[in-house]
Amino acid sequence: MSVKLPTLSQPGFDLVFGYVYTGLAVNLSMALANLPLAVSLALVRQPGAAWPFFVVLSLTLAPSLVGAFTAFDAMNAGDTRPFRAFWLGWRRGMKRAGLLGLALDGLVLVVGLDLASTAGAPVGAALVPVLVAVVAVAVAVVVLALAGFAAGGVGADAPTAALLKASVYLAIRRWPLTLLSLAALTAAVAFVLAQPVLGTLLGVAPLLFVVFSNARATLAPLAHAAG
């Protein structure tokens, strides 16, 4: 009795190759766009001990996320030039994404310093869940806005304030997708912290694609309203 092995058609092969190639391109481009952060993570053994330094270095993350989301959007549209799409999105989103990243980093620094100053005190234990929730919601809202900024996104040409207002509402309204995106982001950060080189070059893109897909699904009502 002969066993017939499954075969992959040419369109199927092209699709798989497109996903793999785009993932590698996004990983490499993310590393280049955040080179000081990537190098520091690879060299410092205990980044948690110097977390304010790494928060400052992470200012470059927001524009690079716009680039990654643009590359994923281009892949879904059939574009086979992920490097070009990434840097196009990075350049177009630099100003607005940079400002949002700066605001988010400032919030993280303030919350982190507050938690450090109240560690061990009863008020610290009461503040932890509240402050963590505030940061989580802020991260979710900023990520939605960055997905909207991406080339082809529903908010690429929308005013930043209007997109942020809609992102706050939709992040809370569609909380299951928000939680899944936060889980994927947490996994990406944990992977990079545990294995900086492997995490940066291999593990980031698949998890960011989950975040991108959830963000587009969350922002879908804006696309319908615009249409």
Side-chain angles (χ1 to χ4, degrees):
M1 179 179 179
S2 61
V3 178
K4 186 177 181 180
L5 296 177
T7 59
L8 189 63
S9 63
Q10 185 61 39
F13 175 82
D14 291 341
L15 181 63
V16 172
F17 178 80
Y19 275 96
V20 173
Y21 179 53
T22 299
L24 292 175
V26 167
N27 283 334
L28 181 57
S29 297
M30 288 287 293
L32 292 175
N34 302 281
L35 192 58
L37 177 61
V39 172
S40 298
L41 285 172
L43 295 179
V44 177
R45 292 187 176 182
Q46 294 182 331
W51 67 267
F53 170 73
F54 285 98
V55 170
V56 173
L57 288 182
S58 67
L59 284 171
T60 58
L61 279 173
S64 64
L65 284 177
V66 177
F69 295 155
T70 301
F72 293 140
D73 183 72
M75 176 190 67
N76 287 341
D79 195 324
T80 57
R81 300 167 295 177
F83 284 103
R84 178 182 180 276
F86 180 98
W87 293 106
L88 173 65
W90 178 85
R91 179 175 60 83
R92 289 185 58 183
M94 171 63 72
K95 184 177 179 180
R96 294 202 293 174
L99 290 175
L100 283 187
L102 179 62
L104 181 60
D105 278 13
L107 176 63
V108 171
L109 278 173
V110 170
V111 169
L113 292 174
D114 282 346
L115 292 177
S117 64
T118 58
V123 66
L127 282 176
V128 167
V130 176
L131 294 178
V132 169
V134 169
V135 171
V137 171
V139 169
V141 170
V142 168
V143 168
L144 282 179
L146 295 179
F149 291 160
V154 294
D157 299 316
T160 302
L163 182 58
L164 282 175
K165 182 178 179 180
S167 296
V168 171
Y169 172 76
L170 291 172
I172 297 174
R173 176 72 179 271
R174 301 195 162 193
W175 61 266
L177 292 174
T178 299
L179 290 180
L180 183 56
S181 291
L182 290 174
L185 286 172
T186 302
V189 172
F191 192 3
V192 171
L193 290 178
Q195 297 288 339
V197 176
L198 289 177
T200 300
L201 297 179
L202 295 177
V204 171
L207 293 167
L208 288 184
F209 185 73
V210 174
V211 176
F212 163 78
S213 300
N214 286 337
R216 283 300 166 87
T218 302
L219 295 173
L222 294 183
H224 295 319

